Amino acid sequence: MASIRELHQQLIEKERSAVEITQEALDRIQALEPKLHSFLCVTAEQALEQASAVDVKIAAGEEIGLLAGIPIGIKDNMCTKGVPTTCASRILENFVPPYESTATQKLADIGAVMVGKTNLDEFAMGSSTENSAYQVTANPWDLSRIPGGSSGGSAAAVSSQECVVALGSDTGGSIRQPASFCGVVGMKPTYGLVSRYGLVAYASSLDQIGPFANTVEDAAILLSAIAGYDPKDSTSLKVAIPNYAANLKPDLKPRGQLKIGIIKETFGEGLDPVVEQAVTKAVDQLQSLGAEIHIISCPRFRYGLPTYYIIAPSEASANLARYDGVKYGYRAPNADNLLSMYTRTRAAGFGTEVKRRIMIGTYALSAGYYDAYYLKAQKVRTLIKQDFEKAFQTVDVLVCPTSPTTAFKAGEKTTDPLSMYLTDLMTIPVNLAGLPSLSLPCGFDDQGLPIGLQLIGNVLREDQLFQVAYAYEQSTSWHLRKPQIVVGH
Ligand code: GLN
């Protein structure tokens, strides 16, 4: 599929209609889904209606925005009015929200066409999308491998061009890690930039919605559309939203003005040498584009993972208390009393990983342990944030690998939660500090699997991330490679 700008041009020049573009996406979904399983639900009828509304506007000579008529996938943890929102959990199997999330509402308002809801790890807890209660999504580059997670459905759908762009959510890496594994661009904005209203909460102080796209420019266009202050989210930032896609330049000149820091601690033990090599080459490329390269130390970066696995489960244990069979979602039948209804509902409705997190979180927050675990983790979170603050006194943007490895085989890590958690080692500190970060393709391993380069920016410096990513992308050809499943189709 073409880029947003190309499709927009075709629409306004009446070369193709929005209905035709949408139909192309729906046809591809129909052809590829038996192999990929990226979507939990395809909203074909609604999509064609939305597309034909765009065509009516074009026929009437009205101006349309860049995203009007563009097929989009939405991670199934964002509430969509009248369309099932399951979070890939049995407990929300029949839940149809009575309201729309702010991010998806903004897209609907400008005529973007939602083609369906994408698969995820249950309640966004996981790194491979294997924790979905419904299906395992395949990696388009190798169907025996996982697409990453938790937004694996969105990443696979964009990589296989079942839709042009998609939304995901990122609590500890759930946009960037699957973007890296599927060879696409994925972006986690500054905490508070995109409203969380209608995003089903996992860990509220870490969750952010962000874009998936095949190109940096498409990701920038999508972020500009969904960002912005929302009175319905008390953590939403009151800031003006730039047009991130405007004025992107193909280089980083004047030479030496933009300073990029390599995070020293992300290299070494545990890092796949092929990933290390690709990232090192990418840094050379950034230097030749005009950036000044520095080596930066973030000594507390390595405490990110243990800190996250106290804070995220703690918040999750509180957020998930609402699924009790009373208000909405699944309710266990034939319980004798209220307590047994609660426990039976939660025992049957939640999967293993979700239960594990609820138990860890409840433990960490309980009286007597709170100071030792939760409070301590909050203090370490501040230290990690201070490492980043110090780094940004010297450089503008930080770089490191997105994940220590490329995509692994389905089933490879399901029995060992710790090894699964480790795949987010390099993305998690960014969420703890609330910073923006982007992953984009920077190479392939010897099995033809994509490798991701992670760029981390200072608070609200999404513009710089897009600029660095764009210059890199335009000077390389990784983003032009397509998985066989697309080429062969
Ligand atoms: N993989 C991490 C986890 O399991 C991050 C998930 C996310 O970002 N939603 O919690």
Side-chain angles (χ1 to χ4, degrees):
M1 261 204 194
S3 71
I4 293 175
R5 248 180 234 288
E6 285 162 355
L7 290 170
H8 179 71
Q9 207 56 33
Q10 294 172 4
L11 282 172
I12 55 174
E13 282 168 12
K14 301 202 175 76
E15 272 171 42
R16 281 168 94 195
S17 68
V19 166
E20 281 166 354
I21 292 172
T22 300
Q23 194 58 56
E24 186 192 333
L26 293 171
D27 290 348
R28 198 187 276 277
I29 289 172
Q30 205 177 14
L32 298 185
E33 272 308 279
K35 289 181 191 153
L36 284 179
H37 313 287
S38 330
F39 285 89
L40 287 171
C41 134
V42 178
T43 49
E45 208 175 305
Q46 181 183 317
L48 290 168
E49 268 169 38
Q50 284 180 317
S52 98
V54 172
D55 286 334
V56 169
K57 279 194 175 174
I58 297 171
E62 280 180 49
E63 216 174 285
I64 56 159
L66 275 175
L67 282 163
I70 304 296
I72 296 192
I74 303 292
K75 186 178 183 180
D76 203 22
N77 61 350
M78 285 167 231
C79 287
T80 40
K81 192 174 176 178
V83 176
T85 300
T86 67
C87 287
S89 179
R90 290 279 170 218
I91 214 155
L92 286 175
E93 188 156 10
N94 297 311
F95 177 59
V96 179
Y99 69 102
E100 187 80 20
S101 83
T102 296
T104 51
Q105 185 64 56
K106 277 174 177 262
L107 293 176
D109 288 347
I110 53 174
V113 174
M114 178 176 87
V115 288
K117 304 292 294 287
T118 58
N119 196 24
L120 63 150
D121 286 299
E122 184 176 3
F123 285 103
M125 297 176 189
S127 309
S128 66
T129 313
E130 290 167 295
N131 293 336
S132 166
Y134 301 104
Q135 62 198 32
V136 176
T137 299
N139 187 313
W141 295 88
D142 175 347
L143 300 177
S144 69
R145 292 174 191 269
I146 52 83
S150 65
S151 315
S154 287
V158 169
S159 159
S160 63
Q161 305 191 21
E162 293 182 308
C163 49
V164 177
V165 284
L167 291 187
S169 67
D170 190 311
T171 305
S174 278
I175 293 178
R176 290 159 288 157
Q177 185 256 31
S180 157
F181 283 8
C182 291
V184 297
V185 178
M187 213 265 173
K188 178 208 105 68
T190 301
Y191 183 77
L193 190 76
V194 178
S195 169
R196 289 182 296 112
Y197 179 76
L199 169 68
V200 177
Y202 160 20
S204 314
S205 77
L206 302 159
D207 301 339
Q208 264 296 283
I209 293 175
F212 280 99
N214 279 300
T215 65
V216 172
E217 188 189 42
D218 281 1
I221 293 171
L222 185 53
L223 182 63
S224 291
I226 58 171
Y229 175 66
D230 179 12
K232 292 184 191 144
D233 172 0
S234 62
T235 57
S236 170
L237 296 172
K238 262 190 191 152
V239 290
I241 304 302
N243 177 354
Y244 297 114
N247 313 317
L248 290 172
K249 295 182 298 145
D251 57 48
L252 301 173
K253 296 195 176 119
R255 193 162 285 281
Q257 197 177 60
L258 189 99
K259 298 182 176 57
I260 292 183
I262 306 172
I263 306 177
K264 175 168 107 184
E265 287 79 5
T266 58
F267 291 84
E269 208 199 326
L271 181 63
D272 188 334
V274 75
V275 175
E276 174 163 359
Q277 212 174 32
V279 172
T280 309
K281 269 185 97 174
V283 172
D284 292 345
Q285 181 67 14
L286 292 170
Q287 186 168 28
S288 74
L289 286 164
E292 188 180 293
I293 306 296
H294 294 246
I295 308 283
I296 290 290
S297 173
C298 290
R300 270 90 50 119
F301 210 84
R302 66 194 175 101
Y303 300 120
L305 196 72
T307 304
Y308 174 88
Y309 278 101
I310 297 293
I311 292 175
S314 297
E315 293 186 20
S317 71
N319 277 327
L320 272 59
R322 71 190 69 171
Y323 307 104
D324 55 8
V326 176
K327 298 182 264 314
Y328 45 81
Y330 172 74
R331 173 183 298 172
N334 311 324
D336 306 332
N337 56 50
L338 188 61
L339 188 62
S340 104
M341 193 275 283
Y342 285 160
T343 51
R344 288 220 242 150
T345 296
R346 289 166 69 83
F350 288 136
T352 312
E353 185 62 25
V354 174
K355 286 180 190 157
R356 181 180 294 126
R357 308 254 178 139
I358 293 174
M359 285 193 279
I360 295 173
T362 309
Y363 182 83
L365 290 178
S366 40
Y369 294 112
Y370 178 93
D371 289 343
Y373 295 110
Y374 185 74
L375 190 65
K376 181 71 128 302
Q378 290 291 19
K379 289 178 179 167
V380 180
R381 181 178 189 171
T382 302
L383 295 176
I384 291 169
K385 199 158 168 260
Q386 285 170 354
D387 275 0
F388 280 116
E389 281 163 5
K390 190 159 167 255
F392 287 122
Q393 285 170 6
T394 314
V395 297
D396 303 295
V397 170
L398 292 164
V399 302
C400 64
T402 305
S403 187
T405 66
T406 52
F408 46 92
K409 292 262 186 202
E412 197 180 313
K413 296 186 195 282
T414 35
T415 52
D416 182 1
L418 271 186
S419 77
M420 186 76 88
Y421 295 174
L422 279 168
T423 68
D424 297 317
L425 197 62
M426 295 162 182
T427 47
I428 276 174
V430 173
N431 299 70
L432 290 169
L435 301 171
S437 173
L438 181 153
S439 176
L440 83 163
C442 72
F444 288 83
D445 70 6
D446 43 16
Q447 297 178 76
L449 299 167
I451 299 169
L453 175 71
Q454 182 176 211
L455 305 173
I456 305 169
N458 207 345
V459 178
L460 292 173
R461 290 318 301 265
E462 280 76 6
D463 58 330
Q464 280 182 331
L465 288 187
F466 283 125
Q467 179 51 66
V468 175
Y470 182 77
Y472 177 78
E473 176 192 70
Q474 293 302 303
S475 67
T476 54
S477 59
W478 310 118
H479 64 293
L480 302 176
R481 271 204 218 177
K482 297 295 163 217
Q484 192 54 38
I485 196 168
V486 173
V487 184
H489 178 59

Short mmCIF file of all heavy atoms in Angstrom, two decimals, residues 125 202 305-318 320 346 351-367 369-370 372-375 377 417-418 421:
data_model
loop_
_atom_site.label_atom_id
_atom_site.label_comp_id
_atom_site.label_asym_id
_atom_site.label_seq_id
_atom_site.Cartn_x
_atom_site.Cartn_y
_atom_site.Cartn_z
N MET A 125 -0.36 -7.04 28.62
CA MET A 125 0.70 -7.60 29.47
C MET A 125 1.42 -8.70 28.72
O MET A 125 0.94 -9.83 28.64
CB MET A 125 0.09 -8.15 30.75
CG MET A 125 -0.58 -7.08 31.58
SD MET A 125 -1.36 -7.80 33.02
CE MET A 125 -2.27 -6.38 33.61
N TYR A 202 -3.80 -0.23 31.98
CA TYR A 202 -2.94 -1.31 32.49
C TYR A 202 -2.16 -0.70 33.65
O TYR A 202 -2.47 -0.95 34.81
CB TYR A 202 -2.08 -1.84 31.34
CG TYR A 202 -0.83 -2.60 31.72
CD1 TYR A 202 -0.66 -3.16 32.98
CD2 TYR A 202 0.18 -2.79 30.78
CE1 TYR A 202 0.49 -3.85 33.30
CE2 TYR A 202 1.34 -3.49 31.10
CZ TYR A 202 1.50 -4.01 32.36
OH TYR A 202 2.65 -4.68 32.67
N LEU A 305 14.15 -2.58 34.63
CA LEU A 305 13.30 -3.77 34.56
C LEU A 305 12.72 -4.16 35.94
O LEU A 305 11.50 -4.27 36.08
CB LEU A 305 14.10 -4.92 33.93
CG LEU A 305 13.27 -6.10 33.44
CD1 LEU A 305 12.50 -5.74 32.18
CD2 LEU A 305 14.19 -7.29 33.15
N PRO A 306 13.58 -4.34 36.98
CA PRO A 306 12.99 -4.68 38.29
C PRO A 306 12.06 -3.58 38.82
O PRO A 306 11.05 -3.89 39.46
CB PRO A 306 14.21 -4.84 39.20
CG PRO A 306 15.40 -4.36 38.45
CD PRO A 306 15.06 -4.40 37.00
N THR A 307 12.37 -2.33 38.54
CA THR A 307 11.52 -1.23 39.01
C THR A 307 10.14 -1.31 38.34
O THR A 307 9.10 -1.20 38.99
CB THR A 307 12.20 0.12 38.68
OG1 THR A 307 13.49 0.12 39.26
CG2 THR A 307 11.40 1.29 39.22
N TYR A 308 10.19 -1.53 37.03
CA TYR A 308 8.94 -1.64 36.27
C TYR A 308 8.08 -2.79 36.77
O TYR A 308 6.86 -2.66 36.88
CB TYR A 308 9.30 -1.85 34.79
CG TYR A 308 8.13 -2.13 33.88
CD1 TYR A 308 7.42 -1.09 33.29
CD2 TYR A 308 7.74 -3.44 33.59
CE1 TYR A 308 6.35 -1.34 32.43
CE2 TYR A 308 6.68 -3.70 32.75
CZ TYR A 308 5.99 -2.65 32.16
OH TYR A 308 4.94 -2.91 31.32
N TYR A 309 8.72 -3.93 37.08
CA TYR A 309 7.94 -5.09 37.50
C TYR A 309 7.47 -5.02 38.95
O TYR A 309 6.91 -5.97 39.47
CB TYR A 309 8.65 -6.40 37.13
CG TYR A 309 8.34 -6.71 35.68
CD1 TYR A 309 9.25 -6.43 34.67
CD2 TYR A 309 7.08 -7.16 35.30
CE1 TYR A 309 8.93 -6.64 33.33
CE2 TYR A 309 6.74 -7.37 33.97
CZ TYR A 309 7.67 -7.11 32.99
OH TYR A 309 7.32 -7.30 31.68
N ILE A 310 7.69 -3.89 39.60
CA ILE A 310 6.99 -3.57 40.85
C ILE A 310 5.88 -2.57 40.53
O ILE A 310 4.71 -2.77 40.89
CB ILE A 310 7.95 -2.96 41.90
CG1 ILE A 310 9.04 -3.95 42.31
CG2 ILE A 310 7.16 -2.48 43.13
CD1 ILE A 310 8.56 -5.17 43.07
N ILE A 311 6.25 -1.51 39.83
CA ILE A 311 5.28 -0.42 39.60
C ILE A 311 4.13 -0.84 38.68
O ILE A 311 2.96 -0.62 39.01
CB ILE A 311 6.01 0.83 39.04
CG1 ILE A 311 6.93 1.40 40.13
CG2 ILE A 311 5.00 1.90 38.59
CD1 ILE A 311 7.80 2.56 39.68
N ALA A 312 4.45 -1.45 37.55
CA ALA A 312 3.38 -1.80 36.61
C ALA A 312 2.38 -2.81 37.21
O ALA A 312 1.17 -2.57 37.15
CB ALA A 312 3.97 -2.31 35.30
N PRO A 313 2.83 -3.91 37.82
CA PRO A 313 1.85 -4.81 38.43
C PRO A 313 1.07 -4.16 39.57
O PRO A 313 -0.10 -4.46 39.76
CB PRO A 313 2.70 -5.98 38.95
CG PRO A 313 3.95 -5.93 38.15
CD PRO A 313 4.19 -4.48 37.85
N SER A 314 1.72 -3.26 40.33
CA SER A 314 0.99 -2.59 41.41
C SER A 314 -0.17 -1.80 40.85
O SER A 314 -1.31 -1.90 41.31
CB SER A 314 1.92 -1.64 42.19
OG SER A 314 2.95 -2.37 42.81
N GLU A 315 0.10 -1.00 39.83
CA GLU A 315 -0.97 -0.21 39.22
C GLU A 315 -2.00 -1.13 38.57
O GLU A 315 -3.21 -0.88 38.64
CB GLU A 315 -0.38 0.77 38.20
CG GLU A 315 0.48 1.83 38.87
CD GLU A 315 0.97 2.91 37.90
OE1 GLU A 315 0.37 3.07 36.82
OE2 GLU A 315 1.95 3.58 38.24
N ALA A 316 -1.51 -2.21 37.94
CA ALA A 316 -2.44 -3.13 37.28
C ALA A 316 -3.37 -3.78 38.30
O ALA A 316 -4.57 -3.94 38.05
CB ALA A 316 -1.66 -4.20 36.53
N SER A 317 -2.83 -4.14 39.47
CA SER A 317 -3.67 -4.82 40.46
C SER A 317 -4.82 -3.91 40.89
O SER A 317 -5.93 -4.38 41.14
CB SER A 317 -2.85 -5.28 41.65
OG SER A 317 -2.44 -4.18 42.45
N ALA A 318 -4.55 -2.60 40.96
CA ALA A 318 -5.63 -1.66 41.30
C ALA A 318 -6.57 -1.46 40.11
O ALA A 318 -7.79 -1.52 40.25
CB ALA A 318 -5.02 -0.33 41.73
N LEU A 320 -7.27 -3.42 37.63
CA LEU A 320 -8.04 -4.59 37.22
C LEU A 320 -9.04 -5.06 38.28
O LEU A 320 -9.76 -6.02 38.08
CB LEU A 320 -7.12 -5.73 36.78
CG LEU A 320 -6.75 -5.70 35.30
CD1 LEU A 320 -6.05 -4.41 34.89
CD2 LEU A 320 -5.90 -6.89 34.90
N ARG A 346 -13.20 -13.99 38.28
CA ARG A 346 -11.81 -13.59 38.02
C ARG A 346 -10.94 -14.81 37.73
O ARG A 346 -10.02 -14.73 36.90
CB ARG A 346 -11.28 -12.76 39.19
CG ARG A 346 -11.95 -11.37 39.21
CD ARG A 346 -11.74 -10.62 40.51
NE ARG A 346 -10.38 -10.19 40.75
CZ ARG A 346 -9.81 -9.09 40.25
NH1 ARG A 346 -10.52 -8.30 39.46
NH2 ARG A 346 -8.57 -8.76 40.55
N GLY A 351 -6.36 -14.61 32.29
CA GLY A 351 -5.33 -15.59 31.94
C GLY A 351 -4.20 -15.60 32.95
O GLY A 351 -4.14 -14.77 33.87
N THR A 352 -3.27 -16.55 32.77
CA THR A 352 -2.20 -16.78 33.74
C THR A 352 -1.33 -15.56 34.00
O THR A 352 -1.01 -15.24 35.14
CB THR A 352 -1.27 -17.90 33.20
OG1 THR A 352 -2.11 -18.96 32.79
CG2 THR A 352 -0.31 -18.39 34.25
N GLU A 353 -0.91 -14.87 32.91
CA GLU A 353 0.00 -13.74 33.09
C GLU A 353 -0.69 -12.61 33.85
O GLU A 353 -0.09 -11.96 34.71
CB GLU A 353 0.54 -13.26 31.74
CG GLU A 353 1.59 -12.15 31.83
CD GLU A 353 2.86 -12.57 32.57
OE1 GLU A 353 3.17 -13.77 32.63
OE2 GLU A 353 3.53 -11.67 33.13
N VAL A 354 -1.95 -12.37 33.54
CA VAL A 354 -2.69 -11.30 34.22
C VAL A 354 -2.81 -11.63 35.71
O VAL A 354 -2.59 -10.77 36.57
CB VAL A 354 -4.07 -11.10 33.56
CG1 VAL A 354 -4.90 -10.10 34.35
CG2 VAL A 354 -3.90 -10.64 32.12
N LYS A 355 -3.10 -12.88 36.01
CA LYS A 355 -3.21 -13.28 37.43
C LYS A 355 -1.87 -13.12 38.13
O LYS A 355 -1.81 -12.66 39.28
CB LYS A 355 -3.67 -14.74 37.52
CG LYS A 355 -5.14 -14.92 37.19
CD LYS A 355 -5.50 -16.39 37.31
CE LYS A 355 -6.88 -16.63 36.74
NZ LYS A 355 -7.06 -18.02 36.34
N ARG A 356 -0.81 -13.49 37.42
CA ARG A 356 0.53 -13.36 38.02
C ARG A 356 0.80 -11.89 38.39
O ARG A 356 1.24 -11.57 39.48
CB ARG A 356 1.58 -13.85 37.03
CG ARG A 356 3.00 -13.77 37.56
CD ARG A 356 4.01 -14.27 36.53
NE ARG A 356 3.87 -15.68 36.26
CZ ARG A 356 3.72 -16.23 35.05
NH1 ARG A 356 3.73 -15.48 33.99
NH2 ARG A 356 3.58 -17.53 34.91
N ARG A 357 0.45 -10.99 37.48
CA ARG A 357 0.70 -9.56 37.74
C ARG A 357 -0.17 -9.04 38.89
O ARG A 357 0.27 -8.23 39.69
CB ARG A 357 0.44 -8.74 36.49
CG ARG A 357 1.16 -9.26 35.27
CD ARG A 357 2.33 -8.42 34.88
NE ARG A 357 2.99 -9.04 33.74
CZ ARG A 357 3.47 -8.37 32.71
NH1 ARG A 357 3.35 -7.07 32.65
NH2 ARG A 357 4.08 -9.00 31.74
N ILE A 358 -1.42 -9.48 38.93
CA ILE A 358 -2.31 -9.03 40.01
C ILE A 358 -1.74 -9.49 41.36
O ILE A 358 -1.72 -8.73 42.33
CB ILE A 358 -3.76 -9.54 39.80
CG1 ILE A 358 -4.36 -8.88 38.56
CG2 ILE A 358 -4.62 -9.27 41.04
CD1 ILE A 358 -5.74 -9.43 38.16
N MET A 359 -1.22 -10.70 41.38
CA MET A 359 -0.67 -11.20 42.65
C MET A 359 0.60 -10.44 43.04
O MET A 359 0.75 -10.05 44.20
CB MET A 359 -0.39 -12.71 42.54
CG MET A 359 -1.68 -13.51 42.62
SD MET A 359 -1.38 -15.25 42.87
CE MET A 359 -1.02 -15.76 41.22
N ILE A 360 1.48 -10.22 42.07
CA ILE A 360 2.71 -9.46 42.38
C ILE A 360 2.35 -8.07 42.88
O ILE A 360 2.87 -7.58 43.88
CB ILE A 360 3.62 -9.35 41.13
CG1 ILE A 360 4.13 -10.71 40.71
CG2 ILE A 360 4.80 -8.39 41.40
CD1 ILE A 360 4.90 -10.72 39.39
N GLY A 361 1.43 -7.42 42.18
CA GLY A 361 1.06 -6.04 42.52
C GLY A 361 0.38 -5.95 43.88
O GLY A 361 0.68 -5.05 44.68
N THR A 362 -0.49 -6.89 44.16
CA THR A 362 -1.20 -6.88 45.44
C THR A 362 -0.20 -7.09 46.58
O THR A 362 -0.26 -6.43 47.62
CB THR A 362 -2.28 -7.99 45.45
OG1 THR A 362 -3.06 -7.86 44.28
CG2 THR A 362 -3.18 -7.87 46.66
N TYR A 363 0.76 -7.97 46.33
CA TYR A 363 1.79 -8.24 47.33
C TYR A 363 2.64 -6.99 47.58
O TYR A 363 2.84 -6.57 48.72
CB TYR A 363 2.66 -9.39 46.81
CG TYR A 363 3.76 -9.82 47.75
CD1 TYR A 363 3.49 -10.71 48.79
CD2 TYR A 363 5.06 -9.36 47.59
CE1 TYR A 363 4.50 -11.12 49.65
CE2 TYR A 363 6.06 -9.76 48.44
CZ TYR A 363 5.78 -10.64 49.47
OH TYR A 363 6.78 -11.04 50.31
N ALA A 364 3.08 -6.37 46.48
CA ALA A 364 3.97 -5.20 46.62
C ALA A 364 3.28 -4.03 47.30
O ALA A 364 3.93 -3.19 47.93
CB ALA A 364 4.49 -4.77 45.25
N LEU A 365 1.97 -3.97 47.22
CA LEU A 365 1.25 -2.84 47.81
C LEU A 365 0.74 -3.13 49.22
O LEU A 365 0.22 -2.25 49.89
CB LEU A 365 0.04 -2.46 46.93
CG LEU A 365 0.35 -1.82 45.57
CD1 LEU A 365 -0.95 -1.56 44.82
CD2 LEU A 365 1.11 -0.52 45.73
N SER A 366 0.90 -4.37 49.67
CA SER A 366 0.28 -4.69 50.96
C SER A 366 1.06 -4.08 52.12
O SER A 366 2.27 -3.82 52.03
CB SER A 366 0.11 -6.20 51.14
OG SER A 366 1.23 -6.88 50.66
N ALA A 367 0.33 -3.84 53.21
CA ALA A 367 0.92 -3.22 54.39
C ALA A 367 2.11 -4.07 54.82
O ALA A 367 2.05 -5.29 54.82
CB ALA A 367 -0.12 -3.14 55.50
N TYR A 369 4.87 -4.43 53.21
CA TYR A 369 5.77 -4.60 52.06
C TYR A 369 5.86 -3.34 51.21
O TYR A 369 6.73 -3.20 50.37
CB TYR A 369 5.30 -5.76 51.18
CG TYR A 369 5.40 -7.08 51.88
CD1 TYR A 369 4.25 -7.78 52.24
CD2 TYR A 369 6.64 -7.61 52.22
CE1 TYR A 369 4.34 -8.98 52.91
CE2 TYR A 369 6.74 -8.81 52.90
CZ TYR A 369 5.59 -9.50 53.24
OH TYR A 369 5.69 -10.67 53.91
N TYR A 370 4.88 -2.46 51.39
CA TYR A 370 4.79 -1.25 50.57
C TYR A 370 6.12 -0.49 50.57
O TYR A 370 6.66 -0.17 49.51
CB TYR A 370 3.65 -0.37 51.12
CG TYR A 370 3.47 0.93 50.42
CD1 TYR A 370 2.57 1.05 49.35
CD2 TYR A 370 4.20 2.06 50.80
CE1 TYR A 370 2.40 2.25 48.70
CE2 TYR A 370 4.04 3.26 50.15
CZ TYR A 370 3.14 3.36 49.11
OH TYR A 370 2.97 4.56 48.46
N ALA A 372 9.12 -1.47 51.37
CA ALA A 372 10.25 -2.24 50.85
C ALA A 372 10.20 -2.37 49.33
O ALA A 372 11.24 -2.43 48.69
CB ALA A 372 10.26 -3.64 51.48
N TYR A 373 9.02 -2.42 48.77
CA TYR A 373 8.93 -2.64 47.32
C TYR A 373 8.42 -1.42 46.56
O TYR A 373 9.14 -0.80 45.79
CB TYR A 373 8.03 -3.85 47.02
CG TYR A 373 8.61 -5.13 47.53
CD1 TYR A 373 8.03 -5.78 48.61
CD2 TYR A 373 9.75 -5.68 46.95
CE1 TYR A 373 8.57 -6.96 49.10
CE2 TYR A 373 10.30 -6.86 47.43
CZ TYR A 373 9.70 -7.49 48.51
OH TYR A 373 10.25 -8.65 48.99
N TYR A 374 7.16 -1.07 46.76
CA TYR A 374 6.56 -0.03 45.92
C TYR A 374 7.26 1.32 46.12
O TYR A 374 7.66 1.98 45.16
CB TYR A 374 5.06 0.09 46.23
CG TYR A 374 4.38 1.06 45.30
CD1 TYR A 374 4.12 0.73 43.98
CD2 TYR A 374 4.01 2.34 45.74
CE1 TYR A 374 3.52 1.62 43.11
CE2 TYR A 374 3.41 3.24 44.88
CZ TYR A 374 3.16 2.88 43.57
OH TYR A 374 2.57 3.76 42.72
N LEU A 375 7.43 1.72 47.38
CA LEU A 375 8.05 3.02 47.65
C LEU A 375 9.49 3.04 47.14
O LEU A 375 9.94 4.02 46.53
CB LEU A 375 7.99 3.32 49.16
CG LEU A 375 8.38 4.73 49.54
CD1 LEU A 375 7.38 5.74 48.98
CD2 LEU A 375 8.45 4.88 51.07
N ALA A 377 10.69 1.27 44.71
CA ALA A 377 10.65 1.32 43.23
C ALA A 377 10.40 2.74 42.75
O ALA A 377 10.99 3.19 41.76
CB ALA A 377 9.58 0.37 42.72
N PRO A 417 8.73 -16.67 32.14
CA PRO A 417 8.33 -15.26 32.13
C PRO A 417 9.52 -14.31 32.21
O PRO A 417 9.53 -13.28 31.54
CB PRO A 417 7.43 -15.11 33.35
CG PRO A 417 7.14 -16.46 33.86
CD PRO A 417 8.02 -17.45 33.17
N LEU A 418 10.55 -14.66 32.99
CA LEU A 418 11.67 -13.73 33.13
C LEU A 418 12.38 -13.47 31.80
O LEU A 418 12.72 -12.33 31.48
CB LEU A 418 12.68 -14.26 34.15
CG LEU A 418 12.42 -13.85 35.60
CD1 LEU A 418 13.57 -14.31 36.48
CD2 LEU A 418 12.23 -12.34 35.74
N TYR A 421 10.32 -11.11 29.92
CA TYR A 421 10.42 -9.74 30.45
C TYR A 421 11.69 -9.04 29.94
O TYR A 421 11.70 -7.85 29.69
CB TYR A 421 10.43 -9.73 31.98
CG TYR A 421 9.17 -10.23 32.66
CD1 TYR A 421 9.11 -10.38 34.04
CD2 TYR A 421 8.01 -10.53 31.93
CE1 TYR A 421 7.96 -10.85 34.68
CE2 TYR A 421 6.87 -11.00 32.56
CZ TYR A 421 6.85 -11.16 33.94
OH TYR A 421 5.72 -11.61 34.56
#
